Amino acid sequence: MKILLVNPPCGTRTIGLKNIAKIEPLNLELLGAVVGTRYEVRLVDMEVAPSDLMPTLREFIPDVVGVTSEVVHVDSAKRVLALCRLAAPHCVTVVGGHHPTVWPQDFLDPVIDLVVRGEGTESFAEICDTVAEGGRDFRHIAGLMIRQGEQLVPTRPRALPRTLDHQPMPDRKLTSRYRNKYYYLWERRVAAVRSSVGCSFPCVFCSCRVYSHGGFIPRSPELLLEEIFGLEEEFIYLCDDHAFHDPARMWELGEKLLKSGVNKRYFTYARVDSIVENRDLFELWAKVGLQLVMSGLESLDYEALKRTGKRVEKGRDEEALAILADLGIGMSAGFLVEPHFEAADFQAIDDYVRDHPAIILTEFTPLTPLPGTPLYRKVQKDIVSPDRQLYDLQHFLLPTETPQKRLYALMRKAYSRVIRRAVMRMELWRPKNWSWHYIRMFRGLIRNYKALGEAHTHCPAPEITSEHRDAA
């Protein structure tokens, strides 16, 4: 039996990370590892090679097609499955991933047979086994939504696992032809490792807690050491929701990496309170090779910060930045762009960043009502566009006080300062640090810059209401 796994491309109107980073489809590599011992599996990564699908379908007619989807991939995932259905009319089409789990109704479509929710390795394996045995009834499989006419009918729920240790090592042979195309900003090659899933903090705009029901699902340090040890890439993206949720586990992993002699560099997410409360742990990880952490500082206004559900004590950002500066770890700091922002607000953030040398990068994020989040439920009726391509954390999807065109112009100007500062703080301008890869990175930055100049044309901008102001 033949199984095709596809990573669909982002939409043409999506702005942001897609232009400056390409990350391997780790969830598809996991699925391939689960079913690849019994069936013939191919993987097409259209995010880095959009033209690969049709040649593959001409010589590989699948019995099952699995597509992963984040919120910005909804339309392209459907297009991919429509093309697969034309090439293989009798194939079973399956969609899974983060967004189908938290908002499956986006995938009620004639080209989709099944939606997998949650950690889908077991569900997908059972789907493939059923098809291999000639079956088309999937009601016995837990954790699915089955399309029946104009509705999605759920099967019994599949409980989230307590650990990720039952999952195999990702089958990276499936992406061997693409691996030299995976990069992250100035890092020419990158590998993704998932050491945990989930976050227990109640930020109103984040869907990570929704996905894991507020739980934290770890993978053991022993298995992580084995996985990292086998990677050729020197830069590792720990793509966790909150890697340092369990300090004891990360301490054990850090010690094992040091003792093994693994020489890698790492980037991951970390809350500022985790940094402040675990200085010794981050000192250890500085020795391991942690170079950059992403933290959502969100706002310089503490009262605005509290309204997001962030639950960070006042002043913790200053303490965390001082610790990172002392340890030689950089931060990519995220800030929410509020509906009333003017030039002075962006300047205040710029002044703050200038005074904190640990901040290497700055991200500006319009408050985005991601489907399934508490924020989405509160303001759903006032969202200005249903186009999922625009749910990229760079488009304004709620009414704004400042005209959208001006806000995007201010963001463009602010990002220009971010790029100049990053080049200087990373010393990318020095000849010894030069890489031809930087041309690829700067092309992506230029695409984002141009896209921000057109973003105001993608959706209308009605006047703001007091409800939006409270939500923001």
Side-chain angles (χ1 to χ4, degrees):
M1 190 176 76
K2 296 180 179 180
I3 300 169
L4 179 62
L5 303 173
V6 185
N7 186 32
C10 288
T12 56
R13 291 186 294 280
T14 298
I15 306 172
L17 197 61
K18 74 162 189 174
N19 288 324
I20 54 178
K22 301 292 182 185
I23 308 296
E24 65 190 288
L26 192 59
N27 47 358
L28 296 183
E29 293 170 336
L30 285 168
L31 295 181
V34 170
V35 299
T37 57
R38 304 190 297 280
Y39 309 116
E40 186 179 357
V41 180
R42 297 277 184 93
L43 192 155
V44 172
D45 190 347
M46 297 180 69
E47 188 59 60
V48 296
S51 62
D52 274 7
L53 180 62
M54 296 313 297
T56 300
L57 288 172
R58 280 194 287 270
E59 54 95 16
F60 185 83
I61 305 302
D63 300 288
V64 177
V65 180
V67 173
T68 185
S69 180
E70 298 291 341
V71 62
V72 294
H73 297 110
V74 170
D75 293 336
S76 57
K78 293 175 183 177
R79 286 195 296 272
V80 164
L81 291 177
L83 291 171
C84 292
R85 180 59 58 75
L86 286 173
H90 302 294
C91 71
V92 173
T93 55
V94 186
V95 64
H98 187 95
H99 187 60
T101 297
V102 301
W103 205 252
Q105 49 266 54
D106 270 353
F107 300 93
L108 177 57
D109 190 281
V111 300
I112 298 172
D113 296 319
L114 304 170
V115 177
V116 176
R117 303 185 73 185
E119 291 298 296
T121 51
E122 294 174 326
S123 299
F124 188 73
E126 292 174 20
I127 291 169
C128 293
D129 290 343
T130 299
V131 175
E133 294 167 1
R136 286 282 179 163
D137 186 350
F138 305 99
R139 289 175 295 177
H140 64 287
I141 301 175
L144 303 184
M145 301 284 281
I146 302 174
R147 184 179 60 81
Q148 294 183 5
E150 297 301 316
Q151 61 181 336
L152 291 173
V153 179
T155 62
R156 71 185 188 280
R158 186 183 294 272
L160 287 169
R162 294 189 176 183
T163 78
L164 300 176
D165 289 356
H166 67 289
Q167 296 182 350
M169 295 294 171
D171 185 358
R172 292 186 167 89
K173 295 190 298 294
L174 292 170
T175 53
S176 59
R177 59 177 168 161
Y178 301 123
R179 298 204 69 81
N180 64 350
K181 298 181 180 181
Y182 298 136
Y183 69 96
Y184 193 88
L185 294 173
W186 54 79
E187 292 287 349
R188 185 176 60 85
R189 295 193 61 188
V190 60
V193 172
R194 187 176 69 156
S195 85
S196 67
V197 172
C199 180
S200 60
F201 289 88
C203 301
V204 299
F205 51 79
C206 182
S207 59
C208 296
R209 177 186 173 90
V210 179
Y211 177 90
S212 67
H213 306 298
F216 178 75
I217 310 169
R219 191 163 171 85
S220 70
E222 292 80 10
L223 290 175
L224 290 169
L225 174 63
E226 179 184 349
E227 181 176 353
I228 293 171
F229 192 82
L231 293 172
E232 295 181 1
E233 292 85 355
E234 295 181 357
F235 184 72
I236 308 299
Y237 170 35
L238 289 178
C239 51
D240 297 26
D241 303 318
H242 183 16
F244 290 90
H245 177 89
D246 182 354
R249 184 187 72 106
M250 290 300 283
W251 186 274
E252 183 179 353
L253 175 59
E255 286 193 322
K256 287 181 179 298
L257 288 169
L258 274 182
K259 290 177 182 178
S260 70
V262 173
N263 185 21
K264 306 285 187 183
R265 303 184 306 280
Y266 301 88
F267 161 63
T268 193
Y269 297 85
R271 285 173 58 95
V272 294
D273 44 11
S274 293
I275 298 169
V276 173
E277 293 165 8
N278 300 281
R279 180 195 167 95
D280 290 347
L281 175 58
F282 281 85
E283 185 173 0
L284 169 67
W285 270 87
K287 296 174 184 176
V288 171
L290 181 60
Q291 289 195 334
L292 188 68
V293 297
M294 196 283 162
S295 290
L297 300 187
E298 316 305 2
S299 180
L300 300 179
D301 179 353
Y302 183 62
E303 293 305 313
L305 183 64
K306 286 197 296 184
R307 290 196 295 272
T308 68
K310 191 73 177 183
R311 291 189 180 177
V312 174
E313 293 180 16
K314 189 173 184 178
R316 282 293 174 100
D317 55 339
E318 298 278 348
E319 296 177 69
L321 286 165
I323 291 171
L324 294 180
D326 188 46
L327 298 178
I329 300 172
M331 177 186 283
S332 175
F335 291 93
L336 291 174
V337 179
E338 299 186 56
H340 63 271
F341 266 27
E342 285 287 355
D345 299 290
F346 285 97
Q347 186 60 54
I349 294 174
D350 190 65
D351 293 342
Y352 180 89
V353 172
R354 188 180 60 246
D355 293 340
H356 294 86
I359 299 179
I360 304 299
L361 295 171
T362 311
E363 300 177 33
F364 299 101
T365 305
L367 188 65
T368 304
L370 294 173
T373 61
L375 175 64
Y376 185 87
R377 292 195 297 271
K378 182 177 181 180
V379 301
Q380 183 176 4
K381 67 181 185 301
D382 298 310
I383 295 173
V384 299
S385 174
D387 186 351
R388 296 301 192 222
Q389 294 185 56
L390 308 183
Y391 286 67
D392 53 9
L393 308 183
Q394 291 296 283
H395 281 88
F396 292 93
L397 294 172
L398 293 173
T400 60
E401 293 181 35
T402 304
Q404 277 194 13
K405 186 173 183 179
R406 176 166 172 76
L407 275 170
Y408 287 121
L410 290 170
M411 284 177 64
R412 289 214 306 175
K413 187 176 181 180
Y415 272 127
S416 297
R417 294 194 292 265
V418 170
I419 294 167
R420 290 195 298 270
R421 183 175 288 117
V423 168
M424 297 304 294
R425 290 187 173 178
M426 292 294 295
E427 297 188 338
L428 301 182
W429 54 273
R430 292 185 179 276
K432 67 176 183 178
N433 294 331
W434 170 256
S435 169
W436 287 105
H437 159 69
Y438 294 163
I439 295 176
R440 176 168 57 174
M441 178 183 68
F442 282 115
R443 283 176 178 168
L445 291 169
I446 291 170
R447 283 195 291 270
N448 275 344
Y449 187 82
K450 289 181 177 178
L452 283 172
E454 302 169 355
H456 68 282
T457 66
H458 294 161
C459 53
E463 293 183 2
I464 197 168
T465 68
S466 59
E467 184 179 357
H468 303 137
R469 187 179 298 108
D470 293 339

